[in-house]
Amino acid sequence: MLNVGIDIGGTKIAGGVVDDTGAIIERSRVATPVDTGELADAVAAMVHELASRHEVAAVGVAAAGYIDRSRSVMLLSPNIDWHDEPLRAQFEARIGRPVTLENDANAAGWGEYRFGAGQGSTDMVMVTLGTGVGGAVINDGRLLIGANGSAAELGHLRFVRGGRPCGCGQNGCLEQYASGRALQRELGDIAEAGGIGERVAAHRDADGIVHGPDLARLLAEDDPGAVEAVRRVATALGEACGAFQAVLDPDLYVIGGGVADLGEVLLEPTRLAYETSLPGFGNRPTARFVTATLGNDAGMVGVADLAGLRSQ
């Protein structure tokens, strides 16, 4: 069985033909048009092109935003001008076959659960640390979407009362303390303070950013400033996971996104913070922490698989 998965991002649309083992048979990629009508046309053209060379059973489309419980209407998207937009009907009209619509973080989490780091788990939480924080929850083998379709917005857990302002309109959300942006903020604060931040300061570019290769080099050399910045972000992540454990009780946390490329440098202090904030620690089972394995393909693979399952 072959399905098409389409992952719509703010700058690119990535598509692929995916088989029932999660393998990508063929890929396609185009820039994301600004005009929403042109965007829908671009998605349809990509599907038609891929389906012309493969026998496709189902089509799945993933995009960032709040999707209603029926998985038909995009209530609000942070990257694209969609407000109460009946996306599924629009895509189906252009593509000429049923379409599954899913939030991109949910799709990525499902991809990892089925074919990546989450294989063998029954209850899994995926946390993606990119510019912001995304999330997905698998509960007893099912994707949790909630009463209104907007479950698992883990990055917008109120983490600090009266804390840093967030783009969602609230203050103190987790993504302000445990994301790629948060890591750069911590690196900047440490660099400005001097002392252990001297080498961090020396590796910042004109915009004040410490790029991945430089950060990796500093961490490999156990630079105290870089290590402290990662520890702060990991501590926030681990404390939040302790709170998630109290509600969801997963057996596995899969950490994805660009920050997860730090591997054990991130996971070790995350586990420590999780354990020390876990209710009943020492007298209850704990979850495992691993990094995601599917990378940027997770959303495409996940939504293709969901499309296949939902079409049965």
Side-chain angles (χ1 to χ4, degrees):
M1 179 183 295
L2 298 177
N3 304 305
V4 169
I6 304 290
D7 190 358
I8 302 174
T11 60
K12 72 178 188 303
I13 302 171
V17 178
V18 182
D19 71 13
D20 58 5
T21 71
I24 300 172
I25 307 303
E26 183 181 351
R27 299 172 182 270
S28 183
R29 175 172 170 168
V30 299
T32 304
V34 174
D35 179 81
T36 55
E38 292 178 4
L39 190 159
D41 289 339
V43 169
M46 182 177 289
V47 172
H48 290 313
E49 179 187 359
L50 293 170
S52 71
R53 292 187 289 275
H54 304 275
E55 188 174 346
V56 172
V59 176
V61 177
Y66 295 100
I67 302 172
D68 75 334
R69 183 175 173 82
S70 73
R71 309 328 251 174
S72 301
V73 179
M74 176 65 78
L75 304 174
L76 176 66
S77 174
N79 303 320
I80 299 168
D81 188 22
W82 285 325
H83 303 270
D84 294 320
E85 200 75 30
L87 283 190
R88 189 169 73 180
Q90 292 178 10
F91 288 134
E92 288 180 342
R94 287 168 166 84
I95 294 170
R97 63 180 74 198
V99 171
T100 286
L101 182 66
E102 190 52 74
N103 170 272
D104 61 345
N106 281 345
W110 184 258
E112 289 288 346
Y113 168 70
R114 288 274 286 161
F115 306 111
Q119 292 181 84
S121 171
T122 59
D123 292 77
M124 182 195 103
V125 171
M126 181 168 175
V127 186
T128 55
L129 309 180
T131 303
V133 173
V137 174
I138 309 299
N139 177 243
D140 197 20
R142 297 183 179 182
L143 183 64
L144 181 67
I145 63 171
N148 300 298
S150 300
E153 289 288 342
L154 304 182
H156 298 290
L157 168 79
R158 176 66 65 79
F159 186 66
V160 176
R161 179 180 293 181
R164 297 167 181 159
C166 183
C168 75
Q170 297 298 327
N171 293 291
C173 292
L174 176 63
E175 74 171 39
Q176 299 304 314
Y177 301 88
S179 62
R181 184 185 291 118
L183 178 56
Q184 288 296 333
R185 181 185 294 114
E186 298 294 356
L187 287 165
D189 289 348
I190 289 169
E192 292 297 327
I196 65 170
E198 288 183 0
R199 293 191 65 211
V200 172
H203 283 81
R204 291 191 297 174
D205 68 11
D207 295 323
I209 302 298
V210 180
H211 293 282
D214 289 327
L215 177 58
R217 190 176 304 112
L218 289 169
L219 291 170
E221 297 169 357
D222 289 325
D223 176 74
V227 170
E228 173 61 15
V230 173
R231 187 199 65 79
R232 293 179 186 179
V233 167
T235 298
L237 174 61
E239 290 176 352
C241 288
F244 298 150
Q245 194 76 27
V247 178
L248 300 168
D249 195 27
D251 55 32
L252 179 68
Y253 288 92
V254 176
I255 312 301
V259 180
D261 291 343
L262 297 174
E264 281 299 315
V265 175
L266 175 74
L267 292 188
E268 184 176 354
T270 298
R271 293 188 190 100
L272 176 61
Y274 159 81
E275 291 171 354
T276 54
S277 63
L278 183 66
F281 176 66
N283 295 289
R284 60 180 290 179
T286 57
R288 293 185 298 119
F289 283 75
V290 299
T291 53
T293 60
L294 297 184
N296 293 332
D297 292 335
M300 181 200 310
V301 170
V303 80
D305 189 63
L306 286 168
L309 293 172
R310 291 174 182 175
S311 67
Q312 294 176 3

